[in-house]
Amino acid sequence: MAFVPADVPEIRRALLDWYDAHARALVWRSPPGTTARPDPYRVWLSEVMLQQTTTPHATPYFLTFTTRWPTVSDLAAAEDGEVMAAWAGLGYYARARNLLACARAVAGAHGGTFPDTEAGLLALPGVGAYTAAAVAAIAFGEAANVVDGNVERVMSRLFAVETPLPAARPELRRLAGSLVRDQRPGDWAQALMDLGATICRPKSPLCGDCPVTAWCAGHASGQPERYPLKLKKAERPHRSGVAWVLRDGRGRVALVRRPDKGLLGGMLGLPTSDWSAAPDLAPPAAADWREAGFVEHVFTHFSLTLEVRVAEGSGDFVWTPVEEALGALPTVFRKALERGLGAP
């Protein structure tokens, strides 16, 4: 198990000084050293959006959400379908359902005010350990231990942790916690995230620009990019299916509301077969269906090939203008719709 150095104050001072000079300017973030607390709603919303999503990709969604729903109570009062449509393209759609559940709990049980402790935040629906710690530290100044993938990478290199992920996570969390203090907990959490995102990068870390190189065991080893060690991932399974693009001749396309439970739950989507090794290919309506090609998509746990078939017809569907559908559909269905629209 990696030890914790005695010169923690020097490490903290070096990193916070670096953060004061080089903090990323993000639309949801207060500048380093700001005395006024940031809005916990904006902190929470940004942290949920940033899970499994890059900052450039999340930023326009954050701006859209905070313009349409400027408070957590506004978001809580929104229709499920409106929120799910606004979320389309961010992926991991269970986050959108959890977002609404949490907003409604805050608006209802807590009078529109977020709990101001890590424990209180963790009790909210859909709020996990990372999000609770991040909001507690950044919005409320609690000395919470905020550990995401960036922080894990920094810790694994700083202490040259030889245990591979995911088994190393408890040790990495302990090491990160050993550096947390009551002073500037929000800035400290964001400084570690920025360091991992901009300097201690997954590949080709910029050690010459790093403020903590002097204490970094990974750098001293001469192979900082070796860390964190990872076990070889299992091969991602592959599934197939059919997406049906049915148009009505009036500029509309047939959509369906997916079940609340399961992948892309609650989202609008194209009618589709099941996704499996041998999908059921029965069409959703009687029509002259034509082949329009294939699209590929990769989910977290499997890859997918969708055959796209197109037709004109009618039926009991959510008939939606094509341009509106293109803006509201999850990425996999948008790909299939675009392929279908290009078919003769």
Side-chain angles (χ1 to χ4, degrees):
M1 180 176 291
F3 70 96
V4 176
D7 42 4
V8 169
E10 287 77 12
I11 294 175
R12 284 181 52 87
R13 186 179 303 110
L15 182 55
L16 286 169
D17 286 349
W18 172 84
Y19 180 68
D20 288 342
H22 300 285
R24 290 179 294 174
L26 305 176
V27 295
W28 47 78
R29 178 184 283 182
S30 298
T34 302
T35 55
R37 297 288 184 206
D39 181 354
Y41 169 61
R42 293 171 66 88
V43 176
W44 163 75
L45 181 62
S46 68
E47 292 298 341
V48 174
M49 287 185 169
L50 287 168
Q51 294 167 21
Q52 306 294 333
T53 306
T54 65
T55 295
H57 188 58
T59 297
Y61 287 89
F62 177 86
L63 293 172
T64 295
F65 267 69
T66 51
T67 299
R68 291 182 65 177
W69 304 295
T71 71
V72 68
S73 295
D74 293 326
L75 180 60
E79 294 289 337
D80 288 36
E82 291 180 358
V83 175
M84 299 302 281
W87 191 272
L90 267 177
Y92 298 87
Y93 294 95
R95 291 182 297 162
R97 297 193 295 274
N98 290 336
L99 194 80
L100 272 172
C102 181
R104 288 166 180 166
V106 172
H110 297 276
T113 301
F114 277 85
D116 61 1
T117 66
E118 184 178 6
L121 291 161
L122 193 55
L124 293 171
V127 174
Y130 165 75
T131 302
V135 177
I138 298 168
F140 297 113
E142 183 176 342
N145 186 22
V146 185
V147 182
D148 67 353
N150 283 321
V151 176
E152 286 183 344
R153 185 166 59 257
V154 171
M155 293 301 120
S156 68
R157 290 174 176 170
L158 185 61
F159 298 103
V161 175
E162 293 293 336
T163 306
L165 288 171
R169 289 207 164 101
E171 183 177 0
L172 296 175
R173 176 170 292 277
R174 179 189 69 82
L175 291 167
S178 72
L179 304 179
V180 174
R181 298 292 184 272
D182 290 333
Q183 295 76 31
R184 301 179 65 183
D187 284 348
W188 174 254
Q190 292 173 114
L192 278 176
M193 294 178 201
D194 278 14
L195 186 71
T198 65
I199 302 295
C200 198
R201 307 178 304 184
K203 297 179 180 179
S204 304
L206 303 176
C207 297
D209 298 326
C210 179
V212 297
T213 297
W215 300 277
C216 181
H219 175 71
S221 76
Q223 292 182 295
E225 66 281 353
R226 176 172 174 263
Y227 302 95
L229 279 65
K230 296 180 180 179
L231 295 177
K232 186 177 180 180
K233 291 184 178 180
E235 185 175 347
R236 182 183 281 114
H238 184 77
R239 301 178 189 176
S240 300
V242 175
W244 312 90
V245 178
L246 183 66
R247 302 174 69 182
D248 67 354
R250 297 164 55 190
R252 300 185 303 175
V253 63
L255 303 181
V256 295
R257 179 75 65 183
R258 295 177 64 82
D260 288 338
K261 302 291 185 181
L263 188 63
L264 307 178
M267 302 292 294
L268 284 172
L270 293 172
T272 180
S273 70
D274 61 304
W275 299 344
S276 64
D280 179 359
L281 303 184
D288 182 18
W289 292 101
R290 307 180 302 279
E291 295 181 357
F294 296 84
V295 295
E296 305 288 339
H297 193 75
V298 178
F299 293 98
T300 305
H301 301 298
F302 66 95
S303 59
L304 174 68
T305 299
L306 278 182
E307 180 184 349
V308 181
R309 297 183 184 177
V310 299
E312 293 73 42
S314 60
D316 185 15
F317 300 100
V318 181
W319 289 99
T320 306
V322 167
E323 290 304 317
E324 182 180 328
L326 286 169
L329 288 174
T331 303
V332 62
F333 291 123
R334 187 176 68 249
K335 289 179 182 177
L337 178 55
E338 289 172 343
R339 177 58 59 90
L341 294 175

